[in-house]
C-alpha cells in the first residue's frame, strides 16, 4: 500500500521527535520526489542516498551560485605597488 504525502509527513515528524534524523531525511526525500511528480511507488524505489544538497550562501547571503574554481595553473596577479600607482610622472 502506498502512503500519501500527509501520512509521510506525519511519519517524518514522528521520526524527528524520536531523534531518528536519518529516517526523517529519507522520508523528506520521498516527499520531495512525490511533490515533484513521481508516484508513490517510484518515490519508494528511488535511491536518494547519493543526493548532495547545495549549501546556501556560498557566494553571499541568499544566493545559490557556487564558488568559482580557478583553472589549473592560474595564479593571482601581483598587487600593485602603492608607492608608484596612481601618480603621474613629471
Amino acid at each position: 500500500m502506498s502512503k500519501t504525502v500527509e501520512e509521510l509527513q506525519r511519519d517524518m515528524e514522528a521520526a524527528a521527535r524520536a531523534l531518528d534524523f536519518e529516517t526523517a531525511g529519507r522520508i523528506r526525500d520521498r516527499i520531495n520526489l512525490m511533490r515533484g511528480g513521481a508516484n508513490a511507488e517510484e518515490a519508494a524505489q528511488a535511491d536518494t542516498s547519493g543526493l548532495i544538497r547545495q549549501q546556501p550562501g556560498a557566494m553571499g547571503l541568499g544566493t545559490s551560485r557556487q564558488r568559482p574554481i580557478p583553472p589549473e595553473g592560474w595564479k593571482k596577479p601581483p598587487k600593485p605597488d602603492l608607492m608608484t600607482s596612481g601618480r603621474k610622472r613629471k
Side-chain angles (χ1 to χ4, degrees), residues 29-69:
D29 292 338
R30 278 180 65 185
I31 292 170
N32 288 338
L33 286 171
M34 289 175 69
R35 287 182 178 160
N39 61 26
E41 289 79 25
E42 290 173 345
Q45 297 294 327
D47 179 24
T48 58
S49 62
L51 292 180
I52 299 172
R53 302 202 184 280
Q54 183 177 1
Q55 297 298 317
M59 290 294 291
L61 183 63
T63 63
S64 61
R65 187 172 164 205
Q66 295 289 326
R67 293 180 188 221
I69 300 172

Side-chain angles (χ1 to χ4, degrees), residues 10-25 27:
R10 284 192 295 271
D11 292 346
M12 180 181 69
E13 291 170 357
R17 278 193 300 275
L19 302 178
D20 188 6
F21 299 116
E22 291 177 2
T23 302
I27 295 172

